[in-house]
Amino acid sequence: MSHNTFGHLFRVTTWGESHGPSIGCVIDGCPPGIAIEAHEIQAFLDKRKPGGSRFVTQRREPDTVEILSGVFQDDSGRQVTTGTPISLLIQNQDHRSKDYGAIKDAFRPGHADFTYIAKYGIRDHRGGGRSSARETAMRVAAGAVARKVLEGVTIRGALVQMGPHRVDRSRWDWRTVDENPFFCPDAETAHHWEGYLDDIRKAGSSIGAVIEVVANCVPAGLGAPIYGKLDQDLASAMMSINAVKAVEIGAGMAAAELTGEENADEIRSGNDGRPAFLSNHAGGILGGISTGQEIVCRFAVKPTSSILTPRRTIDRAGNETEIVTKGRHDPCVGIRAVPVGEAMMALVLADHLLRHRGQIGTSGA
């Protein structure tokens, strides 16, 4: 299997399977001299790890990260990056492969079971193997390192829609995101979601969601025209996350409903002498290059297909059958996709920052 590496100058390769002994990643291209400790990476992994509430999978994984290479103590005693590959490792501790024995020869509708067999002729049926969202833990770990490269940049994500139920943006409060199990910026909507998702969970079903990721204090100038656009790479990064089926930048699909006058982000001169945009329908990116405004990206996550309701399918021999997926699954996989979306934003921005400096130097960005 190829294509396990992401990025150009800040490059991340992940490895491992859902029910293997461990998962890991190698980060290549991280600049030297950046202070980093395992607990700083752990803080982001703890937001994504399973078993955090009744609304996510009850698989119990501590997701404790180890830094195996790429760091050393500088003259002041700080642990810093050396510029060499950084290897990160997480041990799998709570996999229950027996849960999947009954469906090893049948294709779960909505999962990658059929396509893996069609392409490779073999698949790891234990939790989906390499196609499992378990792999995203390493994206979050790598994203924590990328954030250290992005000095001064703030990246925050929130769940803004669950099924048909959207947040009320007039009540948006970033502080609320860390005060409920949904990463929801609207406390009233988060309370409503509790009962809504409880009903779905108890029925053995699932529901989709929309996540919004916002990056602040991104310098103007990141990205390149034509084939190196910042929004192009962001869309690709978010689409690479398990179960993502759509991505929007700025106004996104709603831009089709706007007139040219409404959509144009007018510009005035700010008090600091810098351009002051009067709106941000472009999501902080014009011509594939960052404007210095907030970068706003949303993505839609489908409902997980691991449900208790019998679904029609076929087995590897082509026989028609029905399948029920037992085990421990997220009733709304979009919840734990929030820190993954943040990580992918960080990885893209870190890569583009280094690419910008490689071409332009330190001017502007």
Side-chain angles (χ1 to χ4, degrees):
M1 177 190 291
S2 57
H3 301 287
N4 294 289
T5 300
F6 175 82
H8 293 264
L9 293 186
F10 192 95
R11 293 171 63 83
V12 178
T13 301
T14 69
W15 56 265
E17 294 79 37
S18 178
H19 287 215
S22 57
I23 54 177
C25 73
V26 176
I27 304 167
D28 197 12
C30 182
I34 297 176
I36 186 74
E37 297 284 348
H39 70 83
E40 296 177 283
I41 302 173
Q42 193 65 52
F44 293 103
L45 284 166
D46 287 346
K47 294 174 63 177
R48 193 219 71 98
K49 72 180 182 181
S53 76
R54 69 180 186 272
F55 302 110
V56 299
T57 174
Q58 294 306 293
R59 178 172 175 173
R60 299 290 177 174
E61 292 286 357
D63 281 355
T64 303
V65 67
E66 301 175 59
I67 304 177
L68 302 183
S69 68
V71 294
F72 198 73
Q73 285 193 343
D74 66 8
D75 292 339
S76 66
R78 300 181 309 160
Q79 179 170 278
V80 300
T81 58
T82 62
T84 59
I86 300 170
S87 184
L88 305 177
L89 177 75
I90 292 175
Q91 301 286 350
N92 287 333
Q93 297 186 17
D94 189 30
H95 38 69
R96 293 198 326 215
S97 302
K98 61 181 177 60
D99 288 346
Y100 297 88
I103 62 171
K104 66 182 183 66
D105 293 321
F107 301 133
R108 294 170 296 175
H111 277 284
D113 299 348
F114 167 72
T115 51
Y116 266 56
I117 288 292
K119 184 172 182 67
Y120 302 109
I122 187 172
R123 73 177 177 93
D124 184 346
H125 66 274
R126 304 167 305 165
R130 186 72 178 143
S131 67
S132 169
R134 182 83 184 118
E135 178 267 349
T136 62
M138 301 320 305
R139 303 183 190 211
V140 173
V145 179
R147 289 174 192 253
K148 301 287 285 188
V149 176
L150 297 165
E151 187 176 4
V153 174
T154 301
I155 299 171
R156 297 176 291 189
L159 198 73
V160 298
Q161 182 176 340
M162 183 184 295
H165 305 291
R166 296 175 172 83
V167 300
D168 184 336
R169 290 182 177 267
S170 69
R171 297 194 295 258
W172 189 294
D173 185 347
W174 279 113
R175 293 171 297 181
T176 304
V177 168
D178 295 323
E179 297 173 355
N180 62 78
F182 306 112
F183 301 106
C184 179
D186 172 4
E188 187 173 322
T189 297
H191 178 70
H192 169 72
W193 283 350
E194 288 192 20
Y196 174 68
L197 193 55
D198 262 336
D199 291 342
I200 290 173
R201 178 179 60 86
K202 291 173 183 177
S205 189
S206 62
I207 196 68
V210 175
I211 293 88
E212 184 167 313
V213 184
V214 179
N216 292 95
C217 301
V218 177
L222 301 191
I226 314 301
Y227 300 121
K229 293 181 176 180
L230 181 58
D231 43 359
Q232 165 193 333
D233 285 351
L234 275 175
S236 176
M238 298 308 175
M239 282 298 297
S240 76
I241 300 171
N242 308 64
V244 172
K245 301 304 292 183
V247 179
E248 292 184 332
I249 309 294
M253 298 293 286
E257 303 175 8
L258 302 177
T259 65
E261 293 82 1
E262 293 169 328
N263 185 67
D265 296 320
E266 295 182 288
I267 312 172
R268 308 303 291 167
S269 182
N271 294 331
D272 58 0
R274 298 180 180 180
F277 291 83
L278 304 186
S279 57
N280 191 18
H281 296 296
I285 303 171
L286 290 169
I289 301 171
S290 61
T291 64
Q293 295 175 274
E294 282 188 340
I295 293 180
V296 182
C297 180
R298 283 177 298 279
F299 58 92
V301 178
K302 70 178 182 179
T304 178
S305 300
S306 295
I307 55 178
L308 295 179
T309 306
R311 299 284 85 190
R312 291 173 293 180
T313 188
I314 60 172
D315 61 22
R316 293 188 61 174
N319 300 311
E320 295 183 352
T321 184
E322 285 192 343
I323 191 169
V324 170
T325 307
K326 299 179 181 179
R328 300 163 295 178
H329 306 288
D330 293 87
C332 179
V333 73
I335 297 172
R336 293 197 298 132
V338 173
V340 181
E342 290 181 353
M344 297 311 292
M345 174 77 84
L347 292 171
V348 170
L349 293 179
D351 188 40
H352 271 275
L353 178 64
L354 298 181
R355 289 158 65 178
H356 176 84
R357 289 178 179 173
Q359 181 179 22
I360 308 298
T362 57
S363 62

